[in-house]
């Protein structure tokens, strides 16, 4: 279930610091990797940053295509998130190996992963120094989506019984996003 998110609110999909799954595709190949280091960068146009190691297949595909998708996985994808973060796409199809369903994105070639809470379709802004020195990619968000049961009207609303986003803290351990509260 996906609903479009206004691009001026897209930063809110990452503002709480979730681990993301970076999907990529180029030349008939596709891959997915986990990334704990991503963040919103700017509002208009919306931009994000993500660290993608220079030795990964994802990096190769992102550099070749200039595109990626940041998928915000739900807790039910924690084991798959750990698996795609510790296995190389050069050794086989991680989508098939870990049972990850996906569908086409609207504006980029990288797929949208099933079972996620939000999706940000992105086009890379080439900054060779940042990419080469720090493995840091800056990308413009060109389309954003969220499961309306979890994000609507520009806000997350994790209801009781619904899955939440996850946060990797090392050694195969994750936290799940906690209870929301407001000071207003």
């Amino acid at each position: 279930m996906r609903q479009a998110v206004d691009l001026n609110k897209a930063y809110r999909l990452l503002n709480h610091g979730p681990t993301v799954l970076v999907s990529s595709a180029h030349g008939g190949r596709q891959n997915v990797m986990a990334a704990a280091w991503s963040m919103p960068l700017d509002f208009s146009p919306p931009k994000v940053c993500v660290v993608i190691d220079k030795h990964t297949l994802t990096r190769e595909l992102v550099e070749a295509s200039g595109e990626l998708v940041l998928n915000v996985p739900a807790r039910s994808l924690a084991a798959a998130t750990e698996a795609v973060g510790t296995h190389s796409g050069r050794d086989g199809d991680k989508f098939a190996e870990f049972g990850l369903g996906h569908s086409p994105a609207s504006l980029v070639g990288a797929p949208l992963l099933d079972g996620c809470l939000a999706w940000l379709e992105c086009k890379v802004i080439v900054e060779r120094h940042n990419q080469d020195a720090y493995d840091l990619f800056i990308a413009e968000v060109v389309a954003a989506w969220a499961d309306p049961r979890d994000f609507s009207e520009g806000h997350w609303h994790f209801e009781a019984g619904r899955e939440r986003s996850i946060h990797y803290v090392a050694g195969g351990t994750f936290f799940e996003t906690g209870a929301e509260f407001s000071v207003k």
Side-chain angles (χ1 to χ4, degrees), residues 19-22 31-36 51 53 55-58 73 77-89 91 94-95 97-98 100 113 166 168 171-172 174:
T19 295
V20 296
L21 295 171
V22 181
N31 196 44
V32 59
M33 65 167 261
V51 173
D53 186 86
H55 303 293
T56 64
L57 176 59
T58 294
L77 289 175
T81 300
E82 172 73 10
V84 302
T86 57
H87 290 79
S88 173
D91 297 333
K94 290 196 267 186
F95 292 95
E97 184 176 350
F98 301 112
L100 295 172
L113 297 174
I166 57 176
Y168 188 68
F174 292 85

Side-chain angles (χ1 to χ4, degrees), residues 30-51:
Q30 61 183 13
N31 196 44
V32 59
M33 65 167 261
W37 297 346
S38 68
M39 65 179 213
L41 178 65
D42 202 355
F43 299 108
S44 182
K47 295 180 197 77
V48 295
C49 291
V50 62
V51 173

Side-chain angles (χ1 to χ4, degrees), residues 112-181:
L112 305 177
L113 297 174
D114 296 346
C116 289
L117 304 173
W119 305 261
L120 294 100
E121 299 181 33
C122 304
K123 296 207 180 226
V124 172
I125 298 168
V126 178
E127 294 280 347
R128 291 304 322 167
H129 174 72
N130 289 330
Q131 291 166 215
D132 293 342
Y134 310 111
D135 296 331
L136 181 69
F137 283 76
I138 299 170
E140 181 178 342
V141 178
V142 295
W145 310 93
D147 187 323
R149 296 171 294 182
D150 304 305
F151 186 94
S152 61
E153 298 180 19
H155 297 282
W156 286 104
H157 44 83
F158 295 113
E159 297 178 15
R162 292 283 307 149
E163 290 193 277
R164 297 167 183 243
S165 58
I166 57 176
H167 308 262
Y168 188 68
V169 294
T173 302
F174 292 85
F175 287 127
E176 183 177 41
T177 300
E180 73 178 70
F181 65 94

Side-chain angles (χ1 to χ4, degrees), residues 54-93:
K54 62 183 61 56
H55 303 293
T56 64
L57 176 59
T58 294
R59 170 82 169 251
E60 179 183 320
L61 298 177
V62 167
E63 287 184 328
S65 68
E67 302 174 341
L68 58 93
V69 172
L70 298 182
N71 303 268
V72 179
R75 183 178 180 160
S76 61
L77 289 175
T81 300
E82 172 73 10
V84 302
T86 57
H87 290 79
S88 173
R90 297 184 198 289
D91 297 333
D93 180 349

